[in-house]
Amino acid sequence: MADVDKQSGHFLEYAFNPRSIAVVGASDHPFSFGYHFLRHLIDYGFKGDIYPVNPQRESVQNMKAYHNLLDVPGDIDLVICCVPTERVLSLLEQCPLKHVKILHLFTARLGETGRPQAIDMEKQIQTRAAELGIRIVGPNCMGIYSPAAGIAFGYGFPLEAGKIGAVFQSGGAATLLIQNGWLQGLRFSKVVSYGNAMDIGENELLDYFTMDESTKIIAAYFEGVRDGRRFLSSLKQAADRKPVIAIKGGSGEAGTRAVSSHTAAIAGSANLWDVAFKQAGVVRAGDIGEMVNLAMLFNWLPPVTGKRIGIMGGGGGKGVISADLAEGAGFNLPTLSDSIREQLKEIVPELWDWLGNPVDFSIWGDNGIKAGEIPRIFNTSPDFDFLIVQISDENPMADDWWVNITRMEVDNTINISKQGMKPVIAVLSSAKPGFHDYENIRWRTISEYRENLMAARVPTFDSISEAVAAMSKFIAYWKTH
Amino acid sequence: MADVDKQSGHFLEYAFNPRSIAVVGASDHPFSFGYHFLRHLIDYGFKGDIYPVNPQRESVQNMKAYHNLLDVPGDIDLVICCVPTERVLSLLEQCPLKHVKILHLFTARLGETGRPQAIDMEKQIQTRAAELGIRIVGPNCMGIYSPAAGIAFGYGFPLEAGKIGAVFQSGGAATLLIQNGWLQGLRFSKVVSYGNAMDIGENELLDYFTMDESTKIIAAYFEGVRDGRRFLSSLKQAADRKPVIAIKGGSGEAGTRAVSSHTAAIAGSANLWDVAFKQAGVVRAGDIGEMVNLAMLFNWLPPVTGKRIGIMGGGGGKGVISADLAEGAGFNLPTLSDSIREQLKEIVPELWDWLGNPVDFSIWGDNGIKAGEIPRIFNTSPDFDFLIVQISDENPMADDWWVNITRMEVDNTINISKQGMKPVIAVLSSAKPGFHDYENIRWRTISEYRENLMAARVPTFDSISEAVAAMSKFIAYWKTH
């Protein structure tokens, strides 16, 4: 098995780098997941052998279809199963004959329904798979996204691979992470949605991502664990080696109930999870948005352990609010040193004593063109541990000037970030235009500049409060790692 | 003075509904604010007389220009002054001769610079204006946005008027409120940015907005006050009559310093402001984003005093996270009543016992088309004080199906909201595509649906955490008013 040998030899390589995949329940009907999973293999360019399986069809999506696994000519590393529960047991019996290594059960309506018959069926499947030596991802999950291998479980996922690995019990939450993270410049090594965790669960997955060289940061979403002691050990080992950013789904009453009907997991007490995350040194996120924000920082910034910020840009009110929010989050905004004042005196003699931290770009007037000097001056000061540039997209100029002034600020931010002297992050309004504002030059421009900043590896936040909240956790992490 | 008599007769009508405006320092140069303020009067269709004033020009922006105020043929209600500080005193002397009522000093670099000479100049202007009976907005501010009158201080402000009045010390912060609020469906009665508050300040403005019939909700941004006792009285009177949503800029050390160089205000102790806002019954916001979220609720929802939420939509993981965040914010998610179960049993016999609150739309499978029944069933239940619909924009279908499923959810949300049985709010990802994703069908669709929801007066949030944070403050307000 070439791919597996090339990498680690870990059995999960059969999931992330299989040589061949059969989609059981492959279909031409676009409401069916047997359609989607097959189409994804084609769309994302899976390079191994693809075998659509459907007992009633000679071809599916213009590919030759097989009536069952046994008809498939070659061996099968991974089976994606989209058929109803009652057909899983007979499918299992065929697996050993084709040397199937891993069975991904997209198939759902098992333990998570809470119904005795379904719970019993889940147990039967689990028992038989174990007897046959077939490892199972799922049931009730979206399975594998492995961009380098050309496997995905959703539309519009990036083809390009990155360094974030994700261990997600929920496929919907994983989709949100991939789609929203992508817009913030994140790319993924491998993502797995593992659902009810009948067999392969959080522990083996964490162990795999811990040793996987393509994964530099681990993002995780857990609803429950089967073996607390083993979990704590796997989690700690992962967090000792790589930053782990995790969400615990199901901490309150309603969330716990929702977990039970979602993946049939036992949510566990909120307090135990707090302790586990803390002991392991995990960075905890409250939702996917915060997870994306944190991942941006780990993805692009070097370690930061100091809390002294230099904030530049934005108008007066924005600066004042920023200072309040940053201080409220436990940061310090040092006053400008004599050394900085001396340098300002030279470039803006009429403003040098009036400027502060935050620097209000709106008071520049005709000197706006010199504003680019400020980030450079701040960047050399020993007084700041990191810099935040607020792009002053609220500057009150007409469209063409607005575009130019804002671009100058974006370019200056990218330039000082490239110098690598100090970590730099940016704040730029989120462009969320309504349809009729879609062609509005300002929102188009903000979209373009957001993309430019992120292409230059500058973490870019919608608001100062999101920026300081994420930096706060980022710094806490590096203080203990 | 027709407009003034028609309304309240309050002297501030000369600011918000002047019959004539002179722009002193009117210019053709687009980096100059004498250019912008004049252009805004033209762009927004100010219907009174417009007099560009510039000693060196015969015409500005294709309008006849006057060398000084005295050359202007008629009386002038409002003067917008864009010339440097040293020319303000001589301008003041001309004002009484043209019966000027209000002078808006965009002019800055006065007290806020902290320089003795500039502070002294501010005092001279203040004294002379008082002697001459000329009332001043500013200095160091953007002034007036009065859409019904055709006056604005920025580009792209809505021409349509609404019911939110804004008293803002900072013009940049006011611009953020108008531009971001607009995208969330907010419209304004009148907005004033009053800067250093040399004369007209928070008290008179609050008093005006309290009695102004076109203003139903007051948004405010304060950096400091001149007279604490009077302020508390004006604030309380306003908040007794209308919802007041306020930001206090400058609560920490750096923020206080920033306030001083921004509008020369005395920030005051954070604790005093806490007490003042609490005593007056003001809803406090931390930043403009939160202010917009709160204003959406006051703009569209009836009073809500209960904390029992029914949450519908989104996949399993999203539902679990939503439940956690809602409970964490102090809300209750009642389990489904027997009555609801009975109704579910009829429409989805295979799912009725498995569904919960939150309702996971991803388990519908082929029954998706019936999902519209759920909001209708929830809407009639006495168990919920309000409903949150999470549009399941992460549904894993191909683009065309995705668009249809998501639209169905949006339409269902709008329909139950229109029935007016229960307050309904929506959560829909914020579409913040990068430039290259701009034509992506999914982000275009999200933009369109967001607009549809807001056009139907459904408050729409980017995330469940923003939604429950805003609802929490909204409910706290109605419990005490």
Side-chain angles (χ1 to χ4, degrees):
Chain A
M1 175 161 183
D3 284 334
V4 171
D5 291 342
K6 254 190 288 172
Q7 305 235 357
S8 61
H10 193 287
F11 82 95
L12 278 167
E13 289 299 326
Y14 291 110
F16 296 115
N17 288 302
R19 293 162 299 189
S20 54
I21 302 179
V23 178
V24 177
S27 162
D28 276 315
H29 193 288
F31 199 79
S32 139
F33 278 84
Y35 169 90
H36 299 302
F37 281 107
L38 179 58
R39 183 169 153 189
H40 294 321
L41 295 177
I42 300 166
D43 285 356
Y44 290 93
F46 176 66
K47 282 178 203 71
D49 295 314
I50 305 173
Y51 304 116
V53 175
N54 185 319
Q56 282 136 25
R57 305 291 302 274
E58 299 307 315
S59 78
V60 178
Q61 294 184 50
N62 299 318
M63 297 184 75
K64 174 174 168 51
Y66 301 88
H67 286 188
N68 56 52
L69 282 195
L70 304 182
D71 287 350
V72 167
D75 279 352
I76 304 165
D77 282 345
L78 173 67
V79 171
I80 300 175
C81 171
C82 308
V83 296
T85 51
E86 59 272 19
R87 288 168 53 193
V88 174
L89 282 172
S90 69
L91 175 68
L92 262 177
E93 299 301 330
Q94 301 168 26
C95 287
L97 301 166
K98 303 307 293 183
H99 303 102
V100 169
K101 303 297 187 300
I102 292 180
L103 175 60
H104 160 210
L105 289 177
F106 167 74
T107 303
R109 304 206 173 179
L110 286 159
E112 76 277 11
T113 63
R115 292 174 190 150
Q117 208 181 343
I119 294 171
D120 183 58
M121 174 64 87
E122 181 164 325
K123 285 205 183 113
Q124 285 182 52
I125 295 170
Q126 187 176 8
T127 306
R128 189 61 188 142
E131 285 166 2
L132 296 172
I134 307 297
R135 302 302 309 268
I136 289 184
V137 173
N140 182 29
C141 71
M142 299 300 292
I144 308 298
Y145 167 46
S146 182
I151 307 172
F153 54 74
Y155 291 86
F157 288 14
L159 284 163
E160 184 192 353
K163 57 190 184 188
I164 297 166
V167 180
F168 264 56
Q169 198 148 10
S170 161
T175 301
L176 286 174
L177 174 68
I178 296 164
Q179 293 187 333
N180 289 287
W182 167 47
L183 291 182
Q184 299 285 117
L186 301 184
R187 299 293 182 271
F188 299 86
S189 54
K190 290 150 187 171
V191 176
V192 57
S193 143
Y194 62 93
N196 295 10
M198 170 194 284
D199 173 21
I200 297 168
E202 56 284 350
N203 300 324
E204 283 183 305
L205 291 167
L206 280 172
D207 293 349
Y208 173 82
F209 280 104
T210 300
M211 70 79 206
D212 177 44
E213 288 188 7
S214 67
T215 298
K216 307 296 182 198
I217 299 158
I218 298 173
Y221 171 87
F222 306 114
E223 296 197 341
V225 297
R226 302 275 157 141
D227 177 347
R229 191 181 299 264
R230 167 86 201 280
F231 173 67
L232 199 52
S233 149
S234 291
L235 189 66
K236 188 156 177 17
Q237 183 178 273
D240 281 348
R241 296 274 296 276
K242 300 171 183 180
V244 176
I245 308 163
I247 295 172
K248 162 63 177 99
S251 52
E253 256 184 68
T256 300
R257 287 197 308 267
V259 157
S260 158
S261 66
H262 181 221
T263 58
I266 310 294
S269 91
N271 187 41
L272 273 178
W273 281 89
D274 284 342
V275 172
F277 280 179
K278 199 156 193 179
Q279 281 189 356
V282 162
V283 184
R284 187 165 192 168
D287 59 20
I288 300 295
E290 192 186 10
M291 177 175 268
V292 167
N293 285 344
L294 289 164
M296 272 199 292
L297 297 179
F298 283 101
N299 205 38
W300 289 325
L301 290 197
V304 180
T305 52
K307 305 201 96 179
R308 300 166 309 154
I309 319 182
I311 300 183
M312 293 166 282
K318 206 186 209 177
V320 168
I321 292 172
S322 302
D324 286 346
L325 292 171
E327 285 195 340
F331 290 93
N332 309 316
L333 279 77
T335 54
L336 302 190
S337 66
D338 290 345
S339 151
I340 290 181
R341 292 252 176 246
E342 286 305 314
Q343 295 175 72
L344 289 174
K345 202 169 192 171
E346 273 183 39
I347 62 159
V348 276
E350 72 286 17
L351 294 176
W352 70 280
D353 55 336
W354 177 21
L355 290 166
N357 177 23
V359 176
D360 175 359
F361 278 177
S362 74
I363 65 181
W364 283 87
D366 298 341
N367 298 300
I369 204 68
K370 295 181 194 156
E373 297 298 316
I374 296 238
R376 277 183 279 276
I377 292 172
F378 271 50
N379 207 16
T380 59
S381 165
D383 298 340
F384 309 120
D385 296 306
F386 66 100
L387 302 177
I388 296 180
V389 184
Q390 300 197 92
I391 308 304
S392 21
D393 50 31
E394 83 283 20
N395 81 65
M397 297 288 143
D399 290 346
D400 45 354
W401 285 81
W402 181 94
V403 165
N404 286 333
I405 290 171
T406 312
R407 172 162 46 218
M408 189 180 69
E409 292 181 17
V410 168
D411 289 347
N412 287 333
T413 307
I414 290 172
N415 285 340
I416 59 163
S417 168
K418 279 194 178 148
Q419 288 167 26
M421 299 179 71
K422 244 186 242 311
V424 176
I425 66 182
V427 174
L428 178 65
S429 301
S430 81
K432 43 179 178 179
F435 193 69
H436 288 103
D437 309 314
Y438 222 74
E439 301 306 324
N440 181 307
I441 179 72
R442 296 194 179 216
W443 297 112
R444 288 194 83 99
T445 300
I446 285 177
S447 293
E448 184 180 347
Y449 292 171
R450 171 177 288 275
E451 193 171 82
N452 292 350
L453 283 161
M454 291 188 296
R457 310 166 68 79
V458 178
T460 300
F461 295 85
D462 295 355
S463 67
I464 187 85
S465 55
E466 286 189 39
V468 295
M471 278 305 293
S472 209
K473 291 192 175 184
F474 184 67
I475 289 169
Y477 174 88
W478 286 115
K479 279 192 171 161
T480 55
H481 281 83
Chain B
M1 176 160 181
D3 284 334
V4 171
D5 292 342
K6 254 190 287 171
Q7 305 236 354
S8 62
H10 192 286
F11 82 95
L12 278 168
E13 290 299 327
Y14 290 111
F16 296 114
N17 287 302
R19 292 162 300 188
S20 54
I21 302 178
V23 179
V24 177
S27 163
D28 276 315
H29 192 288
F31 199 78
S32 140
F33 278 83
Y35 169 90
H36 299 302
F37 281 107
L38 179 58
R39 184 172 153 188
H40 293 320
L41 294 177
I42 300 165
D43 284 357
Y44 290 94
F46 176 66
K47 283 177 202 71
D49 296 314
I50 306 173
Y51 304 117
V53 175
N54 185 320
Q56 282 136 26
R57 305 291 302 274
E58 299 308 313
S59 77
V60 178
Q61 294 184 51
N62 298 320
M63 297 184 74
K64 174 174 168 49
Y66 302 88
H67 287 186
N68 55 52
L69 283 195
L70 304 182
D71 287 351
V72 166
D75 278 354
I76 305 165
D77 281 345
L78 173 66
V79 171
I80 300 175
C81 172
C82 307
V83 297
T85 52
E86 58 272 19
R87 288 166 55 191
V88 174
L89 282 172
S90 69
L91 175 68
L92 262 177
E93 299 301 329
Q94 300 167 27
C95 287
L97 300 165
K98 303 306 293 184
H99 303 103
V100 169
K101 302 298 188 298
I102 292 179
L103 175 58
H104 161 212
L105 289 177
F106 167 73
T107 303
R109 304 207 174 177
L110 286 159
E112 76 277 12
T113 62
R115 293 172 191 152
Q117 209 181 341
I119 294 170
D120 183 58
M121 173 64 87
E122 181 163 327
K123 283 204 182 116
Q124 285 182 52
I125 295 170
Q126 187 177 6
T127 305
R128 190 61 189 144
E131 287 166 2
L132 296 172
I134 307 298
R135 303 301 309 270
I136 289 183
V137 173
N140 182 29
C141 71
M142 298 301 291
I144 308 300
Y145 167 45
S146 181
I151 306 173
F153 55 72
Y155 291 85
F157 288 14
L159 284 163
E160 185 193 352
K163 57 189 183 187
I164 297 165
V167 180
F168 263 56
Q169 198 148 9
S170 161
T175 300
L176 287 173
L177 174 68
I178 296 164
Q179 293 186 333
N180 289 287
W182 168 48
L183 291 182
Q184 299 285 117
L186 302 183
R187 300 292 182 272
F188 300 85
S189 54
K190 291 150 187 172
V191 176
V192 57
S193 142
Y194 62 95
N196 294 10
M198 169 194 283
D199 173 20
I200 297 167
E202 57 285 350
N203 300 325
E204 284 184 306
L205 291 167
L206 280 172
D207 293 348
Y208 173 83
F209 279 104
T210 300
M211 69 82 207
D212 178 44
E213 289 188 7
S214 67
T215 298
K216 307 296 183 197
I217 299 158
I218 298 173
Y221 171 86
F222 305 114
E223 296 197 341
V225 296
R226 302 274 157 141
D227 178 346
R229 191 181 298 265
R230 166 87 200 282
F231 174 67
L232 199 53
S233 149
S234 290
L235 190 66
K236 188 157 179 13
Q237 183 178 274
D240 282 347
R241 295 274 296 277
K242 301 172 182 180
V244 176
I245 308 163
I247 295 172
K248 163 63 177 98
S251 52
E253 257 184 68
T256 300
R257 286 197 311 266
V259 157
S260 158
S261 66
H262 181 221
T263 57
I266 310 294
S269 91
N271 188 41
L272 273 178
W273 280 89
D274 284 342
V275 172
F277 280 178
K278 198 155 193 179
Q279 281 189 356
V282 162
V283 184
R284 187 165 192 167
D287 59 19
I288 300 294
E290 192 186 10
M291 177 175 269
V292 168
N293 285 345
L294 289 164
M296 271 199 294
L297 296 178
F298 283 101
N299 205 39
W300 288 324
L301 290 196
V304 180
T305 53
K307 306 200 95 178
R308 299 167 309 155
I309 319 181
I311 300 183
M312 291 165 284
K318 206 185 208 179
V320 168
I321 291 173
S322 301
D324 287 345
L325 292 172
E327 286 196 338
F331 290 92
N332 309 317
L333 279 78
T335 53
L336 301 191
S337 65
D338 290 345
S339 151
I340 291 181
R341 293 252 176 245
E342 285 305 314
Q343 295 175 70
L344 289 174
K345 202 170 192 170
E346 273 183 38
I347 62 161
V348 276
E350 72 286 20
L351 295 176
W352 70 280
D353 56 335
W354 177 22
L355 290 165
N357 177 24
V359 176
D360 175 358
F361 278 177
S362 74
I363 65 181
W364 284 86
D366 298 341
N367 298 299
I369 204 68
K370 295 180 195 157
E373 297 298 315
I374 295 239
R376 277 183 278 278
I377 292 171
F378 271 49
N379 207 16
T380 58
S381 166
D383 298 340
F384 309 119
D385 296 305
F386 66 100
L387 303 177
I388 297 181
V389 185
Q390 300 198 94
I391 308 303
S392 22
D393 51 30
E394 83 282 19
N395 81 65
M397 296 289 142
D399 291 346
D400 45 354
W401 285 81
W402 182 94
V403 165
N404 286 333
I405 290 171
T406 312
R407 172 162 46 219
M408 189 180 69
E409 292 181 17
V410 168
D411 289 347
N412 287 334
T413 307
I414 290 172
N415 285 340
I416 58 164
S417 169
K418 278 195 177 145
Q419 289 168 25
M421 299 180 71
K422 244 186 242 308
V424 176
I425 66 182
V427 174
L428 178 65
S429 301
S430 81
K432 43 178 178 180
F435 192 70
H436 288 102
D437 309 315
Y438 222 75
E439 300 306 322
N440 182 308
I441 179 73
R442 297 197 179 212
W443 297 113
R444 288 194 83 101
T445 300
I446 284 178
S447 293
E448 184 180 346
Y449 293 171
R450 172 176 288 277
E451 194 170 81
N452 292 350
L453 284 162
M454 292 188 295
R457 310 166 68 80
V458 178
T460 301
F461 295 84
D462 295 355
S463 67
I464 187 85
S465 55
E466 287 190 38
V468 295
M471 278 305 294
S472 208
K473 291 192 175 185
F474 184 67
I475 289 169
Y477 175 88
W478 286 116
K479 279 192 171 160
T480 56
H481 281 82

